[in-house]
Amino acid sequence: MAGNRDIGSETLPGKVERGTEVPDEPAAGREATPGEPPKGRGSGEGMEDPSHTARALWALLEPLHAVTYFAPEARQAFEDAGLHGFWRGYFAGRAAPLGETGPEPVTAAFFGFAPAMVARALPGLWAVVTPGRALEARRTGAGAALRRLLSGYGREVEEAAGLLLPVVRDLDCAGRVLAAANRALPVPPGPVERLWHAATVLREHRGDGHVAALVAAGFDGCEILVLRAGADLPRAELQPYRGWSDDAWRAAGRRLAARGLLDPRGGATAEGLRAHRAVEEATDRAAARPWQGLDASARDRLRRLLVPLARASAAALRFPNPMGLPAPAGEMTDVSGPQVPGSGRSA
């Protein structure tokens, strides 16, 4: 197999026009919540609202998946497979369920990344590892990380996995390519790995719905990041990590301004905030259906099981972060923070 020098620099995909190389890994962002919070926020009643249930469980499941890219054991597993540098592990690990595919389908599925950034990674990475080897590294690294982080929670892990796997089995994955590809993988042995597998399928299921909501609202991968930068996140913590050039960023800003979503200074207008909030609400609605197969007592039991597991897993993550994932606090029911496309559904 070819060495990594055949792919490019350690920091895919190279440089943005301002002369800043794409960072080795995503830096922390800032969580903020434009618009009104969802009904039931921070209350027990919120768990009975299907949309709020979906968002609350996303906040609890996302840390269990996110260790795949951020925990030291996971990073080492990718390194051991020959994937040196954060972005090589990220692109190979996340795209591997799709098989040995090229950049176009991955750009479409991941949504928020500049096509040139993805093209610097794929298909070249398949000369370094096979998709099967990348999947093995992903599973091994995540499992090792969670066994460390969740030590002492064996009963909770086993019971939570038992509740989640039937939900995964019964998922409707129509129109959700990443969810379908991950669900098609064999369920791994071991309770920690089974829990991680379920969390991964469910977060990609939600992410696929998030992309559909963005497309239906008329946003492309760069525009929604520019809007988010105008609302609450610094441009420097979005643009470099998604590989967009300055020209592409400015052009996206002009398109948003023409729609009345950005003001002349680049800030999100009231209409822009409403548009973004509508996407978040559509994402929650689209993510609610899988949980309707659990009765209220099972949903509440699942939440109680996942709270300590999410808090323990979050030790491997940064808060705030570009995923838009809220920091663990209390019972973790205050989960109104928005997702960042391309990372809110992913690391």
Side-chain angles (χ1 to χ4, degrees), residues 85-101:
F86 177 87
W87 291 111
R88 288 185 174 87
Y90 174 82
F91 279 113
R94 191 168 176 222
L98 300 173
E100 197 168 307
T101 188

Side-chain angles (χ1 to χ4, degrees), residues 124-187:
L125 286 176
W126 305 134
V128 179
V129 294
T130 64
R133 179 69 181 95
L135 287 171
E136 179 186 1
R138 184 179 78 152
R139 182 181 63 251
T140 300
L146 288 174
R147 278 192 295 275
R148 171 178 61 85
L149 293 163
L150 303 183
S151 176
Y153 290 104
R155 180 184 62 80
E156 290 86 350
V157 167
E158 184 87 41
E159 188 176 350
L163 286 170
L164 287 169
L165 285 173
V167 175
V168 169
R169 180 196 62 210
D170 295 338
L171 278 179
D172 179 1
C173 290
R176 301 179 193 254
V177 174
L178 284 173
N182 278 275
R183 188 179 64 173
L185 299 173
V187 177

Side-chain angles (χ1 to χ4, degrees), residues 56-347:
L57 289 172
W58 162 67
L60 294 171
L61 289 169
E62 185 73 2
L64 297 170
H65 167 79
V67 301
T68 306
Y69 307 107
F70 292 102
E73 296 91 341
R75 299 284 295 276
Q76 188 60 53
F78 284 129
E79 290 280 340
D80 292 344
L83 296 166
H84 305 304
F86 177 87
W87 291 111
R88 288 185 174 87
Y90 174 82
F91 279 113
R94 191 168 176 222
L98 300 173
E100 197 168 307
T101 188
E104 293 86 357
V106 173
T107 300
F110 289 14
F111 190 78
F113 290 91
M117 183 173 185
V118 182
R120 284 292 299 273
L122 300 170
L125 286 176
W126 305 134
V128 179
V129 294
T130 64
R133 179 69 181 95
L135 287 171
E136 179 186 1
R138 184 179 78 152
R139 182 181 63 251
T140 300
L146 288 174
R147 278 192 295 275
R148 171 178 61 85
L149 293 163
L150 303 183
S151 176
Y153 290 104
R155 180 184 62 80
E156 290 86 350
V157 167
E158 184 87 41
E159 188 176 350
L163 286 170
L164 287 169
L165 285 173
V167 175
V168 169
R169 180 196 62 210
D170 295 338
L171 278 179
D172 179 1
C173 290
R176 301 179 193 254
V177 174
L178 284 173
N182 278 275
R183 188 179 64 173
L185 299 173
V187 177
V192 166
E193 287 80 3
R194 291 197 300 271
L195 177 64
W196 168 80
H197 172 76
T200 296
V201 174
L202 287 162
R203 67 93 58 198
E204 294 291 22
H205 186 273
R206 178 187 174 88
D208 288 333
H210 188 53
V211 169
L214 289 164
V215 172
F219 291 111
D220 65 27
C222 189
E223 288 169 353
I224 192 61
L225 295 176
V226 174
L227 181 62
R228 186 72 193 274
D232 66 317
L233 284 178
R235 172 179 173 176
E237 295 183 1
L238 291 173
Q239 182 185 356
Y241 300 108
R242 297 294 175 264
W244 295 102
S245 69
D246 285 345
D247 284 346
W249 193 269
R250 285 190 292 265
R254 288 192 293 270
R255 294 193 297 272
L256 293 173
R259 293 169 59 182
L261 305 182
L262 285 187
D263 63 30
R265 299 178 62 183
T269 63
E271 183 60 29
L273 295 178
R274 282 193 293 270
H276 184 265
R277 190 61 179 175
V279 167
E280 294 298 320
E281 291 171 350
T283 300
D284 291 339
R285 289 193 299 273
R289 186 174 178 181
W291 306 112
Q292 293 171 5
L294 296 177
D295 62 28
S297 63
R299 290 195 300 269
D300 184 65
R301 178 59 180 165
L302 179 60
R303 179 183 64 85
R304 293 179 185 279
L305 290 167
L306 290 175
V307 165
L309 304 183
R311 291 175 64 86
S313 300
L317 309 179
R318 299 176 179 181
F319 293 94
N321 56 72
M323 294 180 290
L325 181 67
E331 287 296 295
M332 293 187 70
T333 54
D334 184 0
V335 290
S336 55
Q339 292 173 256
V340 178
S343 61
R345 50 168 288 142
S346 67

